[in-house]
């Protein structure tokens, strides 16, 4: 397969109405760069007209490839699939809803040329509601813990990075995927640039508040030991508190010869300590479940169909995986 200088990977989920406007704005920008490039659309099992639109665009332009996943796996899993299929020396990822303006791609590439391995396009202003923005901030705090780099607060789905980084996670086979964490396995050379964020042109975002919170939990338990440390510290604090209560009870008995009255007092102490124990067991259970899924070698995605146009034969090539 021909090597390209640039690959643009776009995960797609129920975005049939967005792809043609995205293509029409993206192509002039890429053509102006005067480099060999490809666009990879990964359809993430949305069940609408998205795959048909991808096939039509691929028939129209031989630089477009379409990959259809067997079912919905999630944005980061779809991205991993597209990244592994990319041939470009520089890979750009962006959303399918035109919230990441193609006109801002040149900023990412200019920063990459300064020598950075990964560059994020950080929105100047988030176009989401209060709860969604709050959930995004919580997710970035979790991501900062998992990545271990300060630039985690600048991450976004609009990113550019060098292909050489992919070697660090070529063999990764866990159902829990986070591209930022995987990139941090290969480099600490991160940077960011401010970019415009437009409003979604049609449809609704697949990232609900619940999914964002679940994503944050998956990151913390899948790529970081911070929750275990927090559980240990909470257990230590409450153990010390229990020791203080016990010392108080013994001291009062020795001094006044009376015990601390009240069943409610004892019941409260028992409830608090039982809750802490269950909390710690729950966190340990999360880690055990991650280990269980990894031992099963459950793949992060499964490809159903690959659609691309053979330029030599000027005919579409469709492969079922």
């Amino acid at each position: 397969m021909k090597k390209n200088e640039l690959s643009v990977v776009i995960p797609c989920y129920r975005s049939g109405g967005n792809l043609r406007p995205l293509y029409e704005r993206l192509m002039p920008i890429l053509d102006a760069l005067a480099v060999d490039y490809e666009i990879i659309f990964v359809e993430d099992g949305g069940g609408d007209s998205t795959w048909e639109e991808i096939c039509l665009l691929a028939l129209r332009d031989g630089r477009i490839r379409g990959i259809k996943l067997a079912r919905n796996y999630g944005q980061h899993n779809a991205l991993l699939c597209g990244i592994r299929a990319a041939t470009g020396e520089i890979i750009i990822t962006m959303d399918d809803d035109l919230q990441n303006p193609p006109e801002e791609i040149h900023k990412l590439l200019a920063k990459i040329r300064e020598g950075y391995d990964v560059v994020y396009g950080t929105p100047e202003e988030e176009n989401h509601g209060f709860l969604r923005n709050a959930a995004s901030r919580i997710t970035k705090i979790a991501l900062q813990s998992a990545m271990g780099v300060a630039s985690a607060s600048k991450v976004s789905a609009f990113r550019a990075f060098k292909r050489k980084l992919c070697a660090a996670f070529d063999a990764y086979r866990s159902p829990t995927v986070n591209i930022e964490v995987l990139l941090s396995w290969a480099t600490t050379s991160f940077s960011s640039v401010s970019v415009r964020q437009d409003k979604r042109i049609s449809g609704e975002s697949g990232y609900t508040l619940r999914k964002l919170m679940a994503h944050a939990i998956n990151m913390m338990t899948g790529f970081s030991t911070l929750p275990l440390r927090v559980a240990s510290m909470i257990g230590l604090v409450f153990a010390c508190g229990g020791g203080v209560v016990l010392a108080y009870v013994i001291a009062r008995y020795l001094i006044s010869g009376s015990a601390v009255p009240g069943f409610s007092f004892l019941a409260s102490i028992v409830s608090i300590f039982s809750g802490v124990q269950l909390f710690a067991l729950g966190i340990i259970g999360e880690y055990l479940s991650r280990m269980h899924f990894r031992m099963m070698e459950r793949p992060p995605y499964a490809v159903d169909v690959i659609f691309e146009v053979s330029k030599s034969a000027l005919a579409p090539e469709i492969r079922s995986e």
Side-chain angles (χ1 to χ4, degrees):
M1 182 176 290
K2 178 184 176 182
K3 297 291 183 182
N4 294 281
E5 296 177 57
L6 182 67
S7 295
V8 180
V9 178
I10 305 174
C12 306
Y13 180 74
R14 296 182 180 176
S15 54
N18 298 337
L19 295 186
R20 194 168 296 274
L22 172 60
Y23 169 81
E24 292 173 352
R25 283 179 57 182
L26 181 60
M27 299 308 291
I29 302 300
L30 297 180
D31 288 338
L33 297 175
V35 298
D36 291 330
Y37 67 86
E38 64 179 354
I39 302 174
I40 300 175
F41 290 104
V42 183
E43 201 278 326
D44 189 25
D48 64 345
S49 63
T50 300
W51 178 242
E52 288 74 15
E53 286 293 329
I54 292 173
C55 292
L56 290 173
L57 291 175
L59 287 171
R60 176 176 176 178
D61 193 323
R63 293 166 294 188
I64 292 177
R65 283 194 284 157
I67 301 175
K68 186 177 188 295
L69 299 186
R71 65 173 181 82
N72 177 246
Y73 288 91
Q75 183 187 46
H76 284 258
N77 300 60
L79 273 173
L80 180 61
C81 175
I83 289 168
R84 285 175 170 168
T87 63
E89 293 303 314
I90 296 177
I91 299 173
I92 293 176
T93 68
M94 60 191 302
D95 286 338
D96 58 354
D97 54 9
L98 278 173
Q99 285 188 305
N100 305 141
E103 295 80 10
E104 304 282 70
I105 285 178
H106 70 94
K107 294 182 180 180
L108 302 181
L109 296 177
K111 201 70 174 177
I112 281 281
R113 295 189 187 101
E114 293 180 13
Y116 293 100
D117 289 333
V118 183
V119 176
Y120 291 103
T122 306
E124 297 169 351
E125 183 178 357
E126 296 278 1
N127 293 321
H128 303 299
F130 172 77
L131 290 177
R132 171 72 185 273
N133 288 338
S136 296
R137 283 192 289 270
I138 293 173
T139 302
K140 289 180 179 180
I141 292 172
L143 186 57
Q144 187 165 348
S145 167
M147 291 177 65
V149 294
S151 60
S153 60
K154 302 291 185 180
V155 303
S156 75
F158 195 27
R159 59 175 84 76
F161 57 91
K162 297 177 180 177
R163 177 179 172 76
K164 65 179 184 179
L165 305 183
C166 299
F169 50 88
D170 271 346
Y172 184 78
R173 287 185 57 83
S174 171
T176 304
V177 178
N178 186 274
I179 298 300
E180 274 65 61
V181 176
L182 297 183
L183 291 173
S184 71
W185 291 358
T187 184
T188 57
S189 179
F190 292 85
S191 187
S192 64
V193 293
S194 294
V195 297
R196 188 178 81 249
Q197 185 179 51
D198 295 339
K199 292 183 178 180
R200 186 181 179 96
I201 60 173
S202 67
E204 296 181 357
S205 173
Y207 265 123
T208 62
L209 178 63
R210 181 181 62 83
K211 287 185 177 181
L212 277 172
M213 297 305 297
H215 184 54
I217 293 172
N218 283 336
M219 278 191 299
M220 286 190 292
T221 57
F223 300 98
S224 171
T225 58
L226 179 63
L228 286 175
R229 295 176 184 173
V230 170
S232 298
M233 292 303 299
I234 292 176
L236 178 61
V237 168
F238 276 88
C240 292
V244 171
V245 172
L246 178 62
Y248 170 72
V249 171
I250 294 174
R252 178 164 178 168
Y253 178 77
L254 293 175
I255 294 172
S256 63
S258 62
V260 177
F263 172 77
S264 58
F265 174 79
L266 294 177
S268 299
I269 295 297
V270 171
S271 297
I272 291 173
F273 280 90
S274 298
V276 172
Q277 290 174 343
L278 291 174
F279 173 74
L281 286 174
I283 291 177
I284 295 171
E286 284 287 334
Y287 279 90
L288 288 175
S289 69
R290 307 292 173 202
M291 294 171 60
H292 171 67
F293 283 125
R294 292 191 181 185
M295 290 176 65
M296 290 173 58
E297 295 189 353
R298 177 182 171 188
Y301 57 84
V303 175
D304 184 20
V305 180
I306 297 176
F307 186 97
E308 58 185 330
V309 173
S310 174
K311 294 181 181 179
S312 58
L314 295 178
E317 178 181 355
I318 304 177
R319 304 196 305 273
S320 295
E321 298 296 314

